[in-house]
């Protein structure tokens, strides 16, 4: 038996390890459906994260700033997923959240056109409609390196090599797409409702002008239940 402390000061008792998703649903079915992630003792984790000891838990939804960041980050991964579906020989590099949206640097033989962005956006909508689970996996460093090298993602293999020894190597899987990331992410692609790709630009790999130019840096943002202003899209 262990206790989960909630933000309102109440506690819930559990006799077995429980996931964040189960904790949210035990509070209420609406919260269970709305949960995107949680803070467990202050650390952001996925809804699949299992709690097995006394802990302080705060459920994160789209009403929280952390929830908006998670949606944006997950949408960046959806962008990379769509690119790989449409342009299998493209290499995806990094895709962080920025102040007013997100971007993903892509290595490809040419720059993306406005027509490409429309096609990618349509593919993102299709992938979101599949409502595919987004699952976190922990890999051995050597296995992750070999995997990315085997699928031609040399930038990802380079990033794995740069992760300090002792740190977890976490990958996220959605459908056939697997990406390197620390997370957390939304539970499924169906949580990514509305988004817009806004522009494309060039960027140097890792922001270093001595590295090669990546011609297809794609920017976007999302509007989610009026959390973003119209000008962001």
């Amino acid at each position: 038996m262990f206790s989960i402390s909630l933000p309102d000061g109440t506690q819930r008792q559990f006799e077995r390890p429980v996931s964040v998703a189960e904790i949210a649903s035990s509070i209420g079915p609406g919260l269970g459906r709305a949960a995107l992630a949680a803070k467990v003792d202050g650390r952001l984790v996925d809804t699949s994260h299992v709690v097995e000891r006394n802990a302080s838990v705060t459920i994160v939804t789209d009403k929280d700033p952390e929830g908006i960041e998670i949606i944006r980050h997950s949408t960046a991964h959806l962008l990379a997923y769509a690119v790989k579906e449409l342009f299998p020989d493209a290499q995806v590099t990094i895709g962080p959240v920025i102040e007013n949206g997100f971007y993903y640097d892509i290595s490809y033989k040419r720059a993306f056109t406005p027509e490409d962005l429309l096609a990618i956006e349509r593919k993102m909508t299709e992938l979101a409609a599949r409502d595919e689970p987004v699952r976190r996996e922990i890999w051995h460093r050597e296995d992750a390196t070999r995997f990315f090298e085997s699928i031609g993602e040399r930038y990802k293999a380079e990033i794995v090599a740069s992760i300090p020894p002792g740190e977890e190597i976490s990958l996220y899987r959605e459908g056939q797409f697997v990406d390197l990331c620390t997370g957390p992410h939304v539970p499924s692609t169906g949580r990514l409702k509305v988004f817009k790709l806004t522009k494309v630009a060039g960027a140097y790999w890792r922001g270093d002008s001595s590295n090669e130019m990546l011609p297809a840096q794609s920017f976007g943002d999302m509007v989610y239940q009026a959390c973003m202003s119209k000008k962001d899209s």
Side-chain angles (χ1 to χ4, degrees), residues 139-212:
W139 287 46
H140 292 296
R141 180 183 301 268
E142 296 77 10
D143 292 341
T145 300
R146 281 195 295 269
F147 168 72
F148 285 119
E149 289 176 344
S150 74
I151 62 173
E153 294 284 359
R154 67 178 182 85
Y155 297 96
K156 292 294 181 183
E158 181 180 326
I159 295 171
V160 171
S162 70
I163 296 173
E167 286 193 16
E168 279 188 340
I169 307 297
S170 57
L171 280 65
Y172 279 80
R173 183 185 301 273
E174 46 195 286
Q176 298 302 308
F177 180 63
V178 181
D179 204 355
L180 177 71
C181 190
T182 57
H185 282 285
V186 296
S188 71
T189 60
R191 298 298 189 95
L192 307 174
K193 302 293 186 182
V194 184
F195 37 79
K196 181 69 178 175
L197 300 186
T198 57
K199 64 179 178 178
V200 65
Y204 290 107
W205 169 229
R206 291 190 158 179
D208 187 340
S209 61
S210 64
N211 291 333
E212 66 187 285

Side-chain angles (χ1 to χ4, degrees), residues 42-233:
R43 182 170 73 94
L44 271 173
V45 297
D46 300 291
T47 58
S48 60
H49 177 82
V50 174
V51 182
E52 51 190 15
R53 56 173 176 77
N54 293 345
S56 171
V57 174
T58 302
I59 303 300
V60 173
T61 73
D62 62 3
K63 295 179 172 60
D64 302 302
E66 298 94 339
I68 295 300
E69 287 215 358
I70 289 168
I71 292 169
R72 280 177 162 157
H73 194 181
S74 297
T75 308
H77 278 240
L78 187 70
L79 164 59
Y81 185 4
V83 166
K84 292 296 290 185
E85 289 274 299
L86 294 171
F87 308 96
D89 53 340
Q91 294 188 65
V92 297
T93 65
I94 58 173
V97 172
I98 53 179
E99 183 180 359
N100 292 313
F102 59 86
Y103 71 85
Y104 216 116
D105 285 348
I106 310 291
S107 176
Y108 193 50
K109 58 191 174 186
R110 61 169 175 80
F112 287 153
T113 65
E115 292 73 23
D116 292 331
L117 289 191
L118 288 174
I120 294 167
E121 198 173 284
R122 285 194 294 269
K123 177 60 70 172
M124 290 171 68
T125 300
E126 175 190 322
L127 296 173
R130 292 180 192 173
D131 197 22
E132 294 178 326
V134 180
R135 297 191 173 95
R136 185 175 192 260
E137 302 174 356
I138 302 301
W139 287 46
H140 292 296
R141 180 183 301 268
E142 296 77 10
D143 292 341
T145 300
R146 281 195 295 269
F147 168 72
F148 285 119
E149 289 176 344
S150 74
I151 62 173
E153 294 284 359
R154 67 178 182 85
Y155 297 96
K156 292 294 181 183
E158 181 180 326
I159 295 171
V160 171
S162 70
I163 296 173
E167 286 193 16
E168 279 188 340
I169 307 297
S170 57
L171 280 65
Y172 279 80
R173 183 185 301 273
E174 46 195 286
Q176 298 302 308
F177 180 63
V178 181
D179 204 355
L180 177 71
C181 190
T182 57
H185 282 285
V186 296
S188 71
T189 60
R191 298 298 189 95
L192 307 174
K193 302 293 186 182
V194 184
F195 37 79
K196 181 69 178 175
L197 300 186
T198 57
K199 64 179 178 178
V200 65
Y204 290 107
W205 169 229
R206 291 190 158 179
D208 187 340
S209 61
S210 64
N211 291 333
E212 66 187 285
M213 171 69 77
L214 305 175
Q217 184 185 59
S218 299
F219 289 84
D221 199 2
M222 29 58 66
V223 180
Y224 197 81
Q225 294 189 359
C227 290
M228 298 288 98
S229 65
K230 192 127 180 172
K231 65 185 175 71
D232 288 329
S233 63

Side-chain angles (χ1 to χ4, degrees), residues 1-69:
M1 179 80 70
F2 61 95
S3 297
I4 299 297
S5 300
L6 302 175
D8 63 1
T10 61
Q11 292 192 336
R12 289 183 175 265
Q13 307 295 317
F14 295 92
E15 295 183 348
R16 61 170 179 82
V18 287
S19 69
V20 163
E22 290 175 304
I23 295 170
S25 294
S26 77
I27 298 169
L31 186 61
R33 291 189 295 270
L36 297 175
K39 287 189 283 188
V40 176
D41 291 335
R43 182 170 73 94
L44 271 173
V45 297
D46 300 291
T47 58
S48 60
H49 177 82
V50 174
V51 182
E52 51 190 15
R53 56 173 176 77
N54 293 345
S56 171
V57 174
T58 302
I59 303 300
V60 173
T61 73
D62 62 3
K63 295 179 172 60
D64 302 302
E66 298 94 339
I68 295 300
E69 287 215 358

